[in-house]
Amino acid sequence: MTETQYFTQSPEQTLTALETSSEGLSTTQVATRLEQNGKNQLTEKKRKGLVIRFLEQFKDFMIIVLLVAALIAGFLAHEWPDAFIILAVVILNAVFGVFQEAKAEQAIDALKEMATPDAHVRRNGQIVKIKSEDLVVGDIVLLEAGDIVPADLRLIESAALKIEESALTGESVPVDKQIGVLTDAESGIGDRTNMAFMNSNVTYGRGLGVVTAIGMQTEVGRIAGMLNQADETTTPLQMNLSQLGKTLTIMILIIAAIVFVVGYLRHAQSPINMLLTAISLAVAAIPEGLPAIVTIILALGTQKMVKRKALVRKLPAVETLGSTDIIASDKTGTLTMNQMTVEKIFTNNQLQDASAALPADNLTLKIMNLANDTKITEEGQMIGDPTETALVAYGQLKDFNLQQTLTDLPRVAEVPFDSERKLMSTIHQQADGQFLMTTKGAPDELFKRVSHYIDQNGEIQVFDETEKDFLLQTNHNLAKQALRVLALAYRILPEKPTTVDESLEESLVFAGLVGMIDPERPEAKQAVTDAHSAGIRTLMITGDHRDTAEAIALRLGIIKDDEHADAAVITGAELDQLDDQQFADQVEQYAVYARVAPEHKVRIVKAWQKHGKVVAMTGDGVNDAPALKSADIGIGMGITGTEVSKGASDMVLADDNFSTIVVAVKEGRKVFANIQKSIQYLLSANLGEVLTLFMMTILGWQILQPVHILWINLVTDTFPAIALGVEPTEPGIMDQKPRGRKSNFFSGGVFQAIIYQGLLEGGITLAVYALAITYPVHQASGLAHADALTMAYATLGLIQLFHAFNVKSVHQSIFTVGLFRNKSFNWAVLASFVLLAATIMVPGLNGLFHVSHLDLYQWGIVIAASFLLIVIVEIVKFFQRKSAAAHG
């Protein structure tokens, strides 16, 4: 069934189509419609139960691997401590995941809370007050300034009605409403001036409307529906962890199979013992602390970002920011101030910047303040239309005393604003007994009523065609800069008129023009530049008009080339002419999307994602929520943002500052680099452990016991790996291009580093064992083997602590990045060393860990061999940098 476009019908046709009248519905009709269509409420998709959501956390491949490892460790290898540690990590991750999901579901709840509690309706010919949820299609609703529109309405009466719809359309200026028929059936929401939409705010005037849609059929309801249907995006971090889990599993299975086959063929042990050895190797190869360490690093990253005014709602969003290719930003309130501001003023027949000097008794300044309905509270707060409050604020800036002026020139009458003539006038009594009429409105309409103007010398001259052409050209030039232009004029009346209507608005003396705009945020231009230098493209998505959007984009540097600016802008109507494939093919040419609806925003996000781009979407309105949810990372505004947009976001800017996003991107890149370092450290350490156990098995040497591997994994792996997560940002991190979707934790030389460094760790450990067994301190065979095993254990643990310094940077020298800049890291390494050494040196503990006491000579060999890894890695890095420079 085709949706009825009530804005293309007259009020009478709409009332007939909806089977109602201006007197309202009868009680019987209301009851029937309530039964047929239900309440005027937003519905939500059925939510999963707590148990189901908890179990779904175990679908991740890495988690499955860890669960299998826990079962093997416990039931086959009888390593119950290992099993319990793995299970604890997995369960904690699942609990955390459920908690994050519960927070994310607040978006629809917030949308439901926005529904206005009451509505004034006409039923049975009488005006009654009812709950908005009891409204039905066909109800006649009364609107007054301060009301929240309770449903979608076709207006049938309008008296200077203005409705603020920025949360729905993105347009910063309240819309002048009227009741005429619109002929364009393709008109967007922002252009449907004879409609009022649910949850928008009445800022001025009054009106009467008939309900055309309730609940999920309203424009807000459609947004709620899109939120329900939006798929949760998989973050690059989640994809990388999943890929890492699969890679590790394959490697572990291959290693375990090789150990089992080789051991079995050599008859080193019985088949069952050989299987247990292979399983022990597999358990040793799994970095069971990795999910917890990644979570901790992300959590630490969120704490840093809170201090920079970026509040992260979902942990993976921290890292996702670092891989962002596209920032698709809402204009109103995000890139701009969401506050109309006077930018240009034309007075005494010449144009000047608003910042230029202007005497407080300037006539243009006086008129813009008198022809104004703004109310100022005792606290100094301005209440009224944003355009009018901007004029009063400008007057205050120029020391114009409005209260004193109104005392001297009290308002005695007014001709209210009318959307057809686009003018308003106020009449004030002067001390000389005459009356001053001040008029403000659209320039083209006001010029028709002007007979004289004030020239540069302050003299009154006859308004001729030359002057009119000059003013029309000035108005055109200001409009091209996306300024909203108002014309100001006055007339002296000898006596108070008996009839106050628009017939008084003639023979006016033109005083000036004022150009206003919702200006860009001062810091936004630099943020766009910084994002560009980091390889990130900024897009503007707005419900505002094409010219306004283009002008702001040029001012911000989102569009670079003035000559080709028009080709970089596309409107929602033009977007509707393209199918998804055509749009995806052309999407890269557009930087600005104007006059767009909520579904357009989702299409834009998905089109860029088709190109493999990681998309961050910022926004503050209800209309942004579906796109915020569809984007790889949704960024809401903390101050001006609706609860709906914040609920649908992954991150919220506490200061609504666009530049905070660039700071957050830098933090995200640092977080990824630090996770990469932790992974490099853990996997190279585990590879060293696996190689050591593997070769000991193959060579028939005494094998390190499970308690040794467990303690090394628990102590020397975990603490430094977490501390690497708070490493300072490496220089030049924001000069690099975004990683994008295809990169992973092994990119940038990390995989090669893991392999050769892991081989070195294992090789040096085996070399120490071989040296100790060949040149024993104690001649007795049992003591010699015990010393050799202890030295191998100490070397395997200590070499990992030294190696932690190596992974501070993949390619840079540790002397460049700073050996001891990270205090947390220094304490972590020291604590790990003390805990490792205690198992050997503290009486009682060495018996528990099956190790012998080492003398200074043996400790010297262990320390020297461990430190050798730093020397070798520094040499390798030196040649890598030389090679990169030669090919660079």
Side-chain angles (χ1 to χ4, degrees), residues 333-334 521 523-524 527 637 653-662:
T334 309
R521 288 178 171 272
E523 68 284 345
M637 301 291 123
L653 302 182
D655 58 358
D656 284 16
N657 191 331
F658 184 80
S659 63
T660 302
I661 299 170
V662 179

Side-chain angles (χ1 to χ4, degrees), residues 11-65:
E12 294 76 19
Q13 288 173 320
T14 304
L15 291 170
T16 302
L18 296 172
E19 298 178 14
T20 185
S21 72
S22 58
E23 292 302 302
L25 298 169
S26 66
T27 306
T28 306
Q29 286 176 304
V30 170
T32 303
R33 296 186 186 198
L34 263 175
E35 189 176 340
Q36 286 176 344
N37 304 318
K39 296 260 187 185
N40 178 29
Q41 293 174 325
L42 300 178
T43 58
E44 56 184 297
K45 65 182 176 183
K46 188 178 179 182
R47 294 184 179 179
K48 296 170 184 171
L50 188 65
V51 175
I52 298 296
R53 282 190 286 174
F54 179 76
L55 292 175
E56 283 190 342
Q57 302 299 316
F58 297 92
K59 290 194 301 187
D60 181 78
F61 194 76
M62 183 73 173
I63 299 299
I64 293 169
V65 170

Side-chain angles (χ1 to χ4, degrees), residues 447-448 463-473:
F447 292 159
K448 296 174 185 175
F463 189 68
D464 55 18
E465 285 300 316
T466 304
E467 178 65 17
K468 184 177 180 180
D469 290 342
F470 171 60
L471 290 181
L472 287 171
Q473 186 59 46

Side-chain angles (χ1 to χ4, degrees), residues 699-738:
L699 296 171
W701 291 351
Q702 192 170 347
I703 301 173
L704 287 168
Q705 296 187 20
V707 70
H708 297 146
I709 300 299
L710 176 62
W711 191 250
I712 288 172
N713 279 350
L714 193 64
V715 174
T716 64
D717 275 12
T718 309
F719 294 160
I722 293 172
L724 283 167
V726 291
E727 274 292 298
T729 309
E730 286 189 50
I733 199 165
M734 287 300 282
D735 296 330
Q736 302 166 9
K737 297 299 177 190

